[in-house]
Amino acid sequence: MAGGITDTGEPYSPFVGLVYMFNLIVGTGALTMPKAFATAGWVVSIALISFLGFMSYMTTTFVIEAMAAANAQLRWKRREQEEIDDSDSTSEYSDDDVMGRGRSEPETKPILSVQRSGGHVDHFDIIERVEMGQMASMFFNKVGVNMFYICIIVYLYGDLAIYAAAVPISLMEVACGNHSCSAGSVKYNDTDPCWGSVTRKDAYRVFLTVFTVALGPFTFFNAQKTKYLQILTSVMRWIAFTMMIILALIRIGKGTGEGHPPVASLSGVPNLFGVCVYSFMCQHSLPSLVTPISNKKHVGKLVLADYVLILGFYSLLSFTAIFCFDSSLLHDMYTLNFTDNCDVLDIPFLRYFLGLFPVFTISTNFPIIAVTLRNNWKTLFHRDGGTYPWVVDRIVFPLITLVPPIVVAFCTHNLESLVGITGSYAGTGIQYIIPALLVYYGRRHLEPVMGRDAVNKHRSPFRHNLWVWFVVLWAIFCLMFVTANIILTDTKK
């Protein structure tokens, strides 16, 4: 996200791209969605998640169009530079030399195409991976670029705080929970004992300290998620999700489900909004995801199919959860509902697997996100032609990356609120405002160069500017609504 133009990586088929996108979007947010559904009511939840899924799909098409526009602008500038270089090299010869060389210089090369190895490539082909930070630098002014990086940084801080809290919570629940078959109806408090005089909250902080000591040092170096580690975590994730859905369906089918969720509860809507925005987040990673797809002719249909599948999956996971479990007993991390309830799952190994699976999957992501955040900080304060002193580069930037989310995780482990706030504020900027402004200014930048007749083959189906301003106004309304709700809620306390 901090970088500019990079190699695209090994190409893959559209189907593989669909799977990668599905895996990218469906993550930690999905595990907090059942409780948010139960709090807001099932009718309100299905209506809101469907609308927010549509809005996320729209802004995803905006980002893809902006990627194509960025590729076109880069090719046009490259061609312009080549013509300047050709002109400079020609001027080095005498008039007779120029006459002798002939007048076959590429003066008539069409503006909307470039030639590579004898083949025709459309200017709008997404061949070079242009990250969002580079697109912001191309289409925004300096203030806009700084605001973009601040928004990304705040979002990544929220991401790290969520991860830093989720792992110790899972470890605490497994280590301190009562794993007898009658524990499913027990709701614990932070002050309840875990080991003797050690409370559950103390145990949580012990596990958080261990988590920080174990994974924190990776922030000071470079970390990269390998292909095989990605495959392993994806397999574990899908085994866990499939198990949870099937087990909940079996219990509901037997008529022993305990869930009686409300139809609608408006007090839960602001938090559900944040959770849904967070759970549909993929816009910041689209350049890395879309660029390597070998055949992008039907990339729009691919994205639409992915969003329909993800909406169906989220609805299935959340609906089975809220009708299987009593709403008051749903955990922030849904997997924990299966660790202490033998009515749903009476095989100890599988109960521990579901309780601990977030520990493995989240722990592999934490160093990657920390390094990404550190690099974004460096880019935000980057000085042209300058380098940072060793202490600033290797000590200060890693520390300002690592310390704030760990402090937040020490202060609170309310995952639902952390996800809701991250999604409602920074998530709204990344998912709505930035894509809308990128596509708007991308179109404005290209029009003088390419002309009004130039057709971006990857343009969004929502090509009218009214859609852009609708997204921006919707984002502003959501920010005001969530903020007002937080103020009013705090006032009532």
Side-chain angles (χ1 to χ4, degrees), residues 25-45:
I25 296 177
V26 179
T28 313
L31 297 177
T32 62
M33 195 169 282
K35 186 173 181 180
F37 259 61
T39 305
W42 65 271
V43 170
V44 170
S45 296

Side-chain angles (χ1 to χ4, degrees), residues 139-216:
F139 300 141
F140 296 165
N141 58 24
K142 188 175 181 180
V143 174
V145 172
N146 288 338
M147 293 303 294
F148 163 80
Y149 277 106
I150 290 171
C151 190
I152 284 285
I153 285 168
V154 172
Y155 174 77
L156 291 175
Y157 268 133
D159 234 3
L160 289 178
I162 291 164
Y163 285 9
V167 170
I169 285 175
S170 297
L171 291 170
M172 176 196 71
E173 291 290 350
V174 170
C176 305
N178 176 9
H179 295 285
S180 69
C181 289
S182 61
S185 59
V186 178
K187 192 169 181 68
Y188 295 104
N189 294 315
D190 287 345
T191 54
D192 290 340
C194 179
W195 311 304
S197 60
V198 178
T199 65
R200 289 167 62 84
K201 189 171 187 177
D202 293 335
Y204 165 79
R205 288 179 171 173
V206 168
F207 285 125
L208 177 56
T209 302
V210 172
F211 175 83
T212 305
V213 171
L215 296 180

Side-chain angles (χ1 to χ4, degrees), residues 287-302:
S288 303
L289 195 69
V290 172
T291 308
I293 294 175
S294 55
N295 182 0
K296 302 180 185 70
K297 184 177 180 181
H298 302 295
V299 70
K301 295 177 182 177
L302 176 89

Side-chain angles (χ1 to χ4, degrees), residues 243-287:
M243 280 177 57
M244 289 187 290
I245 290 172
I246 292 174
L247 289 169
L249 283 172
I250 290 172
R251 191 183 193 196
I252 294 169
K254 290 180 178 178
T256 55
E258 298 175 350
H260 302 285
V263 173
S265 177
L266 295 181
S267 61
V269 169
N271 198 64
L272 176 66
F273 166 76
V275 170
C276 289
V277 170
Y278 184 82
S279 299
F280 279 115
M281 186 66 68
C282 71
Q283 284 75 5
H284 57 303
S285 299
L286 282 173

Side-chain angles (χ1 to χ4, degrees), residues 116 152 161 198 331 394:
R116 273 193 190 176
I152 284 285
V198 178
H331 289 273
R394 295 300 182 91

